[in-house]
Amino acid sequence: MNKMLLLTKSHFRKNKGTSVGLVSLMLIAAMLLSLSLVVLFDAYPMARKEAERLDSGDGFFRISEGIDGLTDEKIEEIIEDDVSRYYIYRCLNYITQVPFADGTITANAQIYDDRAFSKEMGNSEIVTEDTSITSDYIYLPYQFYTSGGVDVGDQFVLEIQGKKYDLTVRGFLTTPYFGCNNSGSYEFVLDDDTYSGMVSVDGAPECILVIYELKDGVEESRFGIRVNNDIVTVAPYVNFQQMPVESVISNRTFISLIIVISFLVLSGVVLLVVLFMLTSSISNYIRENIKMLGALKAIGYTSSDIRVSVTLLFLMLSCIGAIGGIVLSYALLPFFAQMSIAQMGIPYSISFLPVPTLIVFSSIVLFTAIVVSVVLIRISKIEPIVALRSGIESHSFRKNHVRLDKTSMGLDMSLAMKTMFFNIKQNIITFIVVGIMVFLCTLGLLMYENFSVHPKVDMLTFEYCGGIAAFDHETAEDAREFLEEQEGVSNVRNMIMVYFYYGDEDKLMTYVIDDLSALNNVNVCFEGRLPLYDNEIAVSGKFASAHGIKVGDTIPMSYGDETFDYLITGFIQTTNNGGKEAYMSARAASRITDLSNAPAYYYFDTETETEEEVDRILTKCEDKYGEHMISKMNFYGIIAGSLTTFKSVATTMLVSMCVISVLVILLVMFLLVKALILNKRKDYGIFKAIGFTSGNLVLQTALSFTPSIVISVILSSILSYCYANKFMNLIMGAFGIVKSRFDIPIPGVVMIAIGMILISFLLAIFESRKVKRIEAYTLLVAE
Amino acid sequence: MNNIIETKKLCKTYSTGGVQQHVLRNIDLEIRKGDFTILMGPSGAGKSTLLYALSGMDKPTLGEIRFCDEDITKKNSDQLALFRRKHCGFVFQQTYLVDSMSVMDNVLSAGFLADNDRKSVITKAREVLKSVDLDEELWDKFPTQISGGEAQRAGIARALINKPDMVFADEPTGALNSKTGKDVLDALTRFNKDGQSIIMVTHDIVSARRGNRILYLKDGEIAGELDLGRYVSGDKERHTALRDFLGGMGW
Ligand SMILES: Nc1ncnc2c1ncn2[C@@H]1O[C@H](COP(=O)(O)OP(=O)(O)OP(=O)(O)O)[C@@H](O)[C@H]1O
Ligand SMILES: [Mg+2]
């Protein structure tokens, strides 16, 4: 063992720079892997853990509007057979816009008093509070703190039924169901006085919440459908909404999953680079030291002795890299974990996680061990005698690339091309690595562009517009005319959402639209077309694949007692409602439901696309229709508010991708140029002797990598441009997006390409400066 | 101006592990234009050290070297490289051709350094390769595919393509047998006849005979000097004079 360590030490001394380069690469891989695993194992499950901790049960349903005749006893009677536990309470429910980060968000607000903190199921808990605030206060979901930019003691205006309440933020709460803007509902807890004042208002928007835990074997969606039907028989005009805890969790964890997937992909890529560099470094090592290895064999070391000693070196390096990477990941963790957890709005503190850490450590070390031992098989092929004569194994040149008497390139360029052919394997590595990095940067750019710069709203919502104004059925027609008369307002369309049922198996959130051709979001349909006639429907791809439905099939949809067989004209993609949505025209919907008493939700666009303009129009409507206007929504405000977290995640992704790309290319260049100079040091010595300056040789070395860099960048830019969306489909498929149409800004791609070429070239120049240290003279007398 | 190189109080000292070794001691030397100067001396005397100092490949510790009226001791390594590509040609003991390039490309790579006119460089390369008796069929071969003597002549061709002011040769025949060594010496002699100045280090009296001025280096100093006439083959007296001179030096 002693002699092994001795050998290992000597290997290390001979390869210090290379070792440092390899360690750094392994460190980056370990860091990324560790970050993604910690987020995956710890931050990502937080939503589920929190739900379990707060005893969420299996889901909740909310019954609102027209609940007068509905007693708790009646509800108990309806659900009893299917649930093992339940908790029923009444509070206020109102859809309103509240300030959030840079804008506003639409909150489906559950408003309650401090009984919220003593629910028997699905309880809420205070995270922080300032008890010195004693009146007119509000507790907000913790997400308002983590990503909404609100702090304890801040003023907060809550607008309910046109009345504004000025409140002070007393604290933040954590809740299993109502804490995250991705899942749509927020719980606001008020002081008793304010709350009782709100409730006592005539027509206060009261609702019933039922949190339930299902008996074994009861299927969630069937249960919901049955309960809904039973309740409608008692209270026909209720609005019934069911939300399984699983949907809430997946909505809450959407962002952290994106982070995890991105980082896993990234660490996989870096591991691939590690594989390349290990292979190339070991091959170099063998070539450089073939004499020494032969001598070792000659004096009686066996191949396996040598193999073990080399493997030992690389294992040590991988241990250092893995540990360093893990340490670094914990240093960066507060930032990345908070980013993914901020979105969930769950209090979270980082702790050391033995399992992911162990996985990272062992996978890096194991990976290295496998690669090294495979590559080292070559050592046993070294015959001592051949090795001792050395040089024999070196290149056998057959083809004369770039003949100087034939080429029209300059001397430095043509010698660089010769070097490139000499170094073709390393150039292939450069080609691949640079190409992958360009692809990653393009993905980063894509996220940045589509989530941050020009948010791709159509990916996140079924329809985008300037604003929405909703009116009760009495004023609906008049209001439409009024709205259409407004200057700058265009494309008014009525769209309401209704749950339609697919037998008793499933239900679809159905957008019922008066004129489907007026929709802005044409991308929503990814196969077939949107419905035109009154017997047609378009359903989400996720729903279709769950039931094995194809375009052209007919499916029975029902509402209450009415059923009709609709023809499926196309599939739509959606991330909302668990991916179960449908589109149909108002005439088609009227086959199974009477819409004449339904309120109208008018979506409209404005000529000036600003929040102020939309506000102006909404206020005008409000002034005219007062209570008959039942809801309003300013789309531009919502975008600003609800995309805050997406924006910061997207920006971070772009920055991470670019930083990691530059680091990886730096290290790869470092290792490759180092190896090249080592291989060519004799040639470079000769060149210096006959009068080449260091500058010539630096330029030649750097130029020799340029073609592979340039070709790779150009090719991969084009490929990334064409295929980034396809790749996103793979990732986003899980969220219901089947055919993404993200924009990839060409100037950005060009900038990445030029930047990548410049950076790689400058790095190559930078690394090549080492040729300065080669002295022609030492070469001449050393031999 | 008859002297290409002049040195004043040229010293070179190596210090290894605190021990100082004075390899060259106060050498005052003039190398004349057109001469075939031979540098001889016992092993370790400092011949190579002197040669590489004169050629600007290595820097002396003290003293001055004037080469074509430029003080090359003041130049940095890149300036020296630029200087070498114009003024110096090298022939080494090992062939030191670039293994990854063909014979032709080895010669051209030096040629293009000093001259941008592609056509004229290619013509010069062909001429110089012919003048060292390398047949055209060898030009596209790689250094590992030709014999040591051929490779050394290719090296001479590379050294001479730019018609340098001085060719420095460090034991160019040291690794060759007498027949191939003779071809190399013949080539050098021919160039010298055409006016090429050459300095050559050698251990071998047969090679030394080619020169017209013999310098004997011993313990870092020029211990003696002999002027021979121009080389004519089969000159018996010349051989005797040289042997006597070397004998006197303790060779
Ligand atoms: N880089 C160096 N560092 C230390 N000492 C050196 C160095 N180069 C040469 N020497 C020493 O300087 C002395 C002269 O070396 P040099 O190579 O000039 O001798 P030489 O006359 O060419 O010998 P030979 O005939 O064997 O080639 C030797 O003793 C050698 O050990
Ligand atoms: Mg010598």
Side-chain angles (χ1 to χ4, degrees):
Chain A
M1 203 59 218
N2 232 341
K3 65 178 181 188
M4 234 46 105
L5 282 178
L6 220 67
L7 264 185
T8 306
K9 247 163 92 185
S10 103
H11 298 321
F12 176 72
R13 244 179 283 124
K14 287 214 176 98
N15 292 278
K16 259 185 224 152
T18 310
S19 302
V20 171
L22 285 172
V23 165
S24 313
L25 274 174
M26 294 179 195
L27 186 138
I28 294 178
M31 181 195 80
L32 291 169
L33 198 60
S34 172
L35 273 178
S36 36
L37 288 190
V38 171
V39 174
L40 181 68
F41 281 106
D42 204 44
Y44 173 69
M46 269 317 281
R48 184 175 305 277
K49 279 191 215 156
E50 190 73 349
E52 278 165 19
R53 193 177 68 82
L54 297 169
D55 192 17
S56 67
D58 290 325
F60 73 86
F61 48 80
R62 175 170 42 212
I63 313 161
S64 51
E65 293 167 31
I67 55 172
D68 287 347
L70 205 56
T71 59
D72 288 6
E73 289 70 31
K74 189 68 207 168
I75 295 171
E76 278 164 31
E77 204 184 298
I78 292 171
I79 63 176
E80 226 164 31
D81 290 345
D82 283 340
V83 299
S84 50
R85 287 193 304 142
Y86 61 88
Y87 179 70
I88 304 175
Y89 68 98
R90 284 160 195 259
C91 63
L92 294 178
N93 173 239
Y94 188 74
I95 296 177
T96 182
Q97 284 190 43
V98 290
F100 189 87
D102 302 331
T104 55
I105 40 175
T106 307
N108 190 338
Q110 294 292 126
I111 303 160
Y112 208 12
D113 57 19
D114 62 8
R115 282 172 290 170
F117 303 124
S118 52
K119 288 175 246 171
E120 282 167 27
M121 281 178 81
N123 199 17
S124 302
E125 260 183 29
I126 295 168
V127 182
T128 49
E129 64 177 338
D130 177 356
T131 48
S132 67
I133 299 164
T134 50
S135 64
D136 294 326
Y137 60 72
I138 183 168
Y139 286 94
L140 297 171
Y142 195 53
Q143 199 195 10
F144 280 80
Y145 175 75
T146 53
S147 45
V150 184
D151 222 328
V152 173
D154 286 359
Q155 290 303 304
F156 191 84
V157 180
L158 187 62
E159 189 180 332
I160 303 292
Q161 290 185 302
K163 189 166 185 296
K164 286 185 175 153
Y165 295 85
D166 286 310
L167 302 163
T168 311
V169 177
R170 190 188 200 210
F172 296 98
L173 54 86
T174 165
T175 140
Y177 289 116
F178 314 115
C180 165
N181 62 348
N182 280 352
S183 48
S185 282
Y186 279 121
E187 182 173 68
F188 298 132
V189 175
L190 309 180
D191 62 287
D192 291 354
D193 289 348
T194 313
Y195 182 70
S196 46
M198 255 180 213
V199 173
S200 63
V201 172
D202 215 18
E206 224 186 340
C207 74
I208 304 173
L209 265 142
V210 182
I211 297 167
Y212 58 82
E213 186 178 275
L214 294 170
K215 283 185 180 157
D216 283 350
V218 178
E219 207 199 304
E220 189 118 34
S221 61
R222 281 172 193 266
F223 166 73
I225 293 166
R226 186 186 64 74
V227 171
N228 190 1
N229 287 336
D230 288 357
I231 285 179
V232 172
T233 58
V234 183
Y237 299 111
V238 297
N239 183 344
F240 180 88
Q241 225 185 324
Q242 182 195 15
M243 181 70 83
V245 72
E246 288 305 320
S247 316
V248 176
I249 289 171
S250 73
N251 286 336
R252 283 188 126 176
T253 50
F254 181 70
I255 296 266
S256 48
L257 212 57
I258 288 186
I259 295 177
V260 167
I261 293 174
S262 311
F263 276 47
L264 275 179
V265 169
L266 212 53
S267 43
V269 166
V270 180
L271 272 180
L272 188 74
V273 175
V274 171
L275 169 84
F276 286 151
M277 296 327 291
L278 270 178
T279 318
S280 121
S281 304
I282 294 173
S283 307
N284 261 316
Y285 178 77
I286 294 176
R287 182 159 27 157
E288 274 302 310
N289 294 293
I290 194 148
K291 235 179 194 167
M292 189 265 282
L293 295 174
L296 287 174
K297 277 197 172 182
I299 62 171
Y301 280 91
T302 65
S303 295
S304 76
D305 284 342
I306 299 171
R307 267 213 304 268
V308 168
S309 65
V310 177
T311 313
L312 219 57
L313 169 71
F314 286 104
L315 282 188
M316 266 156 56
L317 296 183
S318 69
C319 289
I320 299 171
I323 292 172
I326 289 167
V327 169
L328 200 63
S329 75
Y330 276 96
L332 292 174
L333 202 55
F335 181 65
F336 283 98
Q338 288 310 339
M339 188 168 75
S340 55
I341 210 92
Q343 169 67 10
M344 301 182 200
I346 293 171
Y348 175 68
S349 61
I350 293 155
S351 50
F352 177 75
L353 300 168
V355 175
T357 304
L358 210 68
I359 294 178
V360 173
F361 184 81
S362 45
S363 52
I364 296 283
V365 174
L366 213 69
F367 179 80
T368 311
I370 293 171
V371 174
V372 172
S373 35
V374 169
V375 181
L376 280 180
I377 291 173
R378 277 179 49 191
I379 282 199
S380 50
K381 295 196 189 122
I382 300 175
E383 291 297 330
I385 202 73
V386 175
L388 283 174
R389 276 207 228 107
S390 174
I392 294 170
E393 198 252 8
S394 70
H395 280 266
S396 53
F397 300 98
R398 246 167 272 123
K399 184 151 175 18
N400 189 8
H401 297 283
V402 198
R403 292 175 54 139
L404 291 182
D405 51 346
K406 295 276 155 66
T407 170
S408 55
M409 285 183 276
L411 182 61
D412 281 324
M413 195 59 197
S414 33
L415 290 180
M417 291 306 98
K418 279 178 181 291
T419 306
M420 180 187 80
F421 284 111
F422 171 85
N423 208 27
I424 198 77
K425 268 190 208 155
Q426 284 68 19
N427 271 283
I428 292 172
I429 294 179
T430 313
F431 180 86
I432 297 174
V433 171
V434 169
I436 295 176
M437 293 305 146
V438 167
F439 184 66
L440 289 181
C441 287
T442 311
L443 286 185
L445 175 75
L446 177 151
M447 293 196 195
Y448 182 68
E449 168 72 17
N450 294 280
F451 291 130
S452 187
V453 183
H454 300 112
K456 202 65 177 169
V457 194
D458 53 339
M459 307 250 57
L460 306 168
T461 175
F462 66 99
E463 170 69 340
Y464 52 94
C465 57
I468 302 166
F471 305 92
D472 58 21
H473 74 274
E474 291 158 35
T475 47
E477 271 188 33
D478 189 60
R480 182 177 192 134
E481 269 173 35
F482 178 74
L483 203 55
E484 278 171 342
E485 276 165 14
Q486 299 303 309
E487 208 183 317
V489 170
S490 63
N491 203 16
V492 178
R493 59 262 185 215
N494 182 10
M495 183 156 18
I496 56 171
M497 300 175 216
V498 191
Y499 276 110
F500 287 151
Y501 293 89
Y502 175 63
D504 59 355
E505 283 176 65
D506 219 336
K507 64 176 176 186
L508 285 169
M509 175 84 223
T510 308
Y511 300 104
V512 176
I513 304 142
D514 55 355
D515 179 9
L516 277 140
S517 63
L519 289 181
N520 281 340
N521 191 2
V522 289
N523 288 340
V524 72
C525 186
F526 69 89
E527 197 181 323
R529 58 164 174 83
L530 284 174
L532 276 175
Y533 302 105
D534 61 359
N535 61 339
E536 295 178 341
I537 189 171
V539 299
S540 60
K542 200 167 173 180
F543 170 83
S545 62
H547 297 282
I549 298 167
K550 293 185 299 296
V551 172
D553 289 354
T554 49
I555 51 163
M557 295 303 296
S558 44
Y559 186 80
D561 297 334
E562 301 290 332
T563 302
F564 184 79
D565 283 341
Y566 289 98
L567 174 72
I568 296 185
T569 58
F571 293 152
I572 56 170
Q573 53 185 346
T574 168
T575 53
N576 302 314
N577 292 302
K580 293 185 174 176
E581 296 188 340
Y583 277 58
M584 63 166 84
S585 67
R587 280 183 303 135
S590 63
R591 286 179 177 274
I592 49 174
T593 179
D594 176 16
L595 294 169
S596 58
N597 283 328
Y601 283 78
Y602 293 125
Y603 288 59
F604 61 90
D605 301 330
T606 51
E607 210 172 334
T608 334
E609 299 182 339
T610 61
E611 195 174 345
E612 292 72 32
E613 173 71 359
V614 173
D615 261 342
R616 190 183 65 81
I617 289 158
L618 289 174
T619 317
K620 255 184 156 173
C621 294
E622 219 169 7
D623 291 346
K624 181 153 193 282
Y625 294 100
E627 283 192 352
H628 292 290
M629 182 167 172
I630 52 174
S631 176
K632 60 172 183 173
M633 221 190 265
N634 188 326
F635 216 71
Y636 299 113
I638 293 169
I639 292 169
S642 54
L643 284 173
T644 315
T645 22
F646 276 103
K647 281 186 181 179
S648 70
V649 168
T651 312
T652 314
M653 280 300 153
L654 178 67
V655 173
S656 320
M657 298 282 179
C658 291
V659 168
I660 285 168
S661 298
V662 170
L663 276 180
V664 167
I665 292 177
L666 173 99
L667 289 168
V668 169
M669 278 295 162
F670 168 78
L671 289 171
L672 292 181
V673 172
K674 195 177 154 60
L676 173 63
I677 293 175
L678 200 68
N679 279 335
K680 289 206 67 124
R681 64 185 181 284
K682 187 182 147 204
D683 291 355
Y684 282 178
I686 297 170
F687 278 140
K688 278 203 171 177
I690 66 173
F692 282 87
T693 63
S694 294
N696 289 130
L697 300 178
V698 168
L699 191 67
Q700 280 174 27
T701 311
L703 279 177
S704 79
F705 284 99
T706 310
S708 38
I709 292 171
V710 171
I711 296 172
S712 170
V713 166
I714 291 175
L715 271 184
S716 60
S717 303
I718 295 172
L719 288 180
S720 310
Y721 184 77
C722 299
Y723 290 102
N725 268 311
K726 289 234 164 65
F727 182 79
M728 288 306 281
N729 287 342
L730 288 181
I731 294 185
M732 305 280 286
F735 306 113
I737 288 180
V738 188
K739 192 174 183 184
S740 48
R741 287 196 185 82
F742 289 111
D743 293 329
I744 304 169
I746 292 177
V749 177
V750 171
M751 250 164 66
I752 288 178
I754 292 175
M756 205 59 110
I757 291 174
L758 276 182
I759 287 175
S760 312
F761 184 69
L762 289 180
L763 285 178
I765 293 249
F766 185 77
E767 303 294 352
S768 309
R769 288 166 318 141
K770 285 178 206 127
V771 297
K772 286 196 179 139
R773 277 192 245 138
I774 296 177
E775 289 282 354
Y777 176 68
T778 29
L779 168 94
L780 299 172
V781 286
E783 299 278 322
Chain B
M1 244 299 297
N2 221 5
N3 293 336
I4 294 189
I5 305 176
E6 287 174 16
T7 72
K8 285 207 186 81
K9 303 231 176 305
L10 186 65
C11 295
K12 179 78 186 181
T13 308
Y14 289 113
S15 50
T16 24
V19 182
Q20 294 219 324
Q21 191 191 356
H22 302 284
V23 179
L24 300 179
R25 301 161 194 260
N26 291 322
I27 293 185
D28 293 321
L29 185 65
E30 285 146 22
I31 307 290
R32 295 188 301 256
K33 192 173 175 149
D35 270 6
F36 194 150
T37 312
I38 304 290
L39 209 49
M40 295 192 80
S43 186
K47 304 183 295 290
S48 297
T49 307
L50 178 60
L51 190 76
Y52 291 122
L54 293 181
S55 62
M57 193 91 81
D58 188 24
K59 283 193 160 188
T61 317
L62 272 176
E64 194 185 299
I65 304 169
R66 297 196 71 79
F67 192 137
C68 291
D69 264 341
E70 290 186 63
D71 185 354
I72 62 168
T73 52
K74 299 242 157 50
K75 291 182 187 293
N76 68 25
S77 67
D78 273 352
Q79 289 167 330
L80 283 174
L82 293 172
F83 180 84
R84 285 200 296 273
R85 71 165 72 152
K86 259 195 247 143
H87 299 284
C88 309
F90 291 92
V91 185
F92 311 103
Q93 178 174 5
Q94 273 90 355
T95 50
Y96 282 138
L97 294 174
V98 175
D99 284 341
S100 57
M101 302 203 302
S102 68
V103 168
M104 181 52 124
D105 283 355
N106 263 287
V107 176
L108 285 175
S109 67
F112 285 134
L113 262 185
D115 188 348
N116 278 326
D117 182 350
R118 305 186 44 74
K119 276 225 172 90
S120 93
V121 172
I122 294 172
T123 321
K124 273 194 283 181
R126 294 169 157 271
E127 278 169 10
V128 77
L129 278 165
K130 275 184 199 145
S131 69
V132 293
D133 282 332
L134 282 180
D135 292 337
E136 212 164 324
E137 71 220 36
L138 297 178
W139 295 354
D140 284 333
K141 290 196 170 177
F142 288 95
T144 46
Q145 297 166 330
I146 57 177
S147 78
E150 287 161 345
Q152 195 58 292
R153 276 179 283 149
I156 293 174
R158 183 178 65 186
L160 283 156
I161 182 165
N162 293 329
K163 298 215 162 33
D165 294 301
M166 181 63 75
V167 166
F168 298 87
D170 192 357
E171 301 184 46
T173 58
L176 303 176
N177 65 33
S178 53
K179 165 73 183 75
T180 48
K182 185 173 173 300
D183 293 341
V184 168
L185 291 172
D186 286 344
L188 286 172
T189 311
R190 260 197 318 273
F191 282 111
N192 177 243
K193 260 204 186 110
D194 296 339
Q196 176 65 54
S197 321
I198 300 173
I199 306 181
M200 180 171 84
V201 173
T202 182
H203 274 126
D204 161 32
I205 193 162
V206 179
S207 307
R209 221 165 45 178
R210 303 290 180 123
N212 64 323
R213 183 185 182 208
I214 319 290
L215 296 171
Y216 196 85
L217 197 67
K218 200 173 164 184
D219 296 331
E221 286 167 345
I222 307 285
E225 187 181 338
L226 172 70
D227 262 310
L228 289 170
R230 293 274 159 203
Y231 172 75
V232 190
S233 77
D235 188 343
K236 272 262 162 64
E237 277 166 45
R238 185 184 182 81
H239 190 77
T240 329
L242 181 57
R243 207 176 49 206
D244 292 348
F245 166 73
L246 290 176
M249 291 284 116
W251 171 258

